[in-house]
Amino acid sequence: AQTVTQSQPEMSVQEAETVTLSCTYDTSESDYYLFWYKQPPSRQMILVIRQEAYKQQNATENRFSVNFQKAAKSFSLKISDSQLGDAAMYFCAYRWDAGGTSYGKLTFGQGTILTVHP
Amino acid sequence: DAGVTQSPTHLIKTRGQQVTLRCSPKSGHDTVSWYQQALGQGPQFIFQYYEEEERQRGNFPDRFSGHQFPNYSSELNVNALLLGDSALYLCASSVTGAPTEAFFGQGTRLTVV
């Protein structure tokens, strides 16, 4: 069974600084997707960034980037120029790539609460 | 586009009762997944519906059941509620066969007393 582990229950960062959230996962599959989701107090899960396992290049989305280490099964999220609106719970998630289609369950980590100080 | 909508937003039930939660997927989406998120934890997959059938199921007892309607909306039913069923229930919709990601609703907060 696939597992996702986030070892940092809480992290904090000063506004405009950079913070990195850690995630490790375990799978015997070779084709899969990894995601970072943000869950603000509004409770809605928002996709931040995704990484296809077959791609060596790390994904980036504006201020958000990942460090994907497939051999080490590590998938960290870097938030640059942190903003007050980045404060939320962040979840790392895994999904097996079922032939390139989007169906299939997401397996989530336990989450990291990110606090941004002004 | 209304996105994924869930109802109700909050619900309080008594132990032993039954509850039905509802989800309308994002326009154009045909697949609905349900997740249970206990306080301070990550979401746990309950099951997924496609073409009005349960396609995948997580490690949840038979007290948890669901349904998908021809318009792709879905219901989650929980029978014989336990205190431990208190959680945020999230619905996610997606498109089978397309490289699109799941969109989540804001969830239903269920409290069992």
Side-chain angles (χ1 to χ4, degrees), chain B residues 42-56:
Chain B
Q44 298 290 318
F45 177 77
I46 302 175
F47 44 52
Q48 182 181 83
Y49 276 84
Y50 172 67
E51 292 188 339
E52 302 179 48
E53 291 189 357
E54 183 181 291
R55 179 162 64 183
Q56 276 190 309

Side-chain angles (χ1 to χ4, degrees), chain B residues 31-50:
Chain B
T31 303
V32 174
S33 302
W34 287 92
Y35 293 83
Q36 180 194 65
Q37 185 178 15
L39 193 63
Q41 301 294 316
Q44 298 290 318
F45 177 77
I46 302 175
F47 44 52
Q48 182 181 83
Y49 276 84
Y50 172 67

Side-chain angles (χ1 to χ4, degrees), chain A residues 61-114:
Chain A
E61 286 288 342
N62 300 314
R63 299 182 294 108
F64 299 88
S65 62
V66 299
N67 183 3
F68 174 48
Q69 302 290 327
K70 191 172 184 179
K73 296 181 180 176
S74 170
F75 183 61
S76 62
L77 174 70
K78 185 171 80 171
I79 305 174
S80 304
D81 185 25
S82 296
Q83 300 175 0
L84 295 177
D86 294 333
M89 177 82 100
Y90 285 80
F91 291 97
C92 177
Y94 165 101
R95 189 188 76 212
W96 173 53
D97 180 6
T101 59
S102 68
Y103 76 83
K105 71 174 186 178
L106 288 162
T107 300
F108 288 86
Q110 306 93 316
T112 297
I113 299 173
L114 177 66

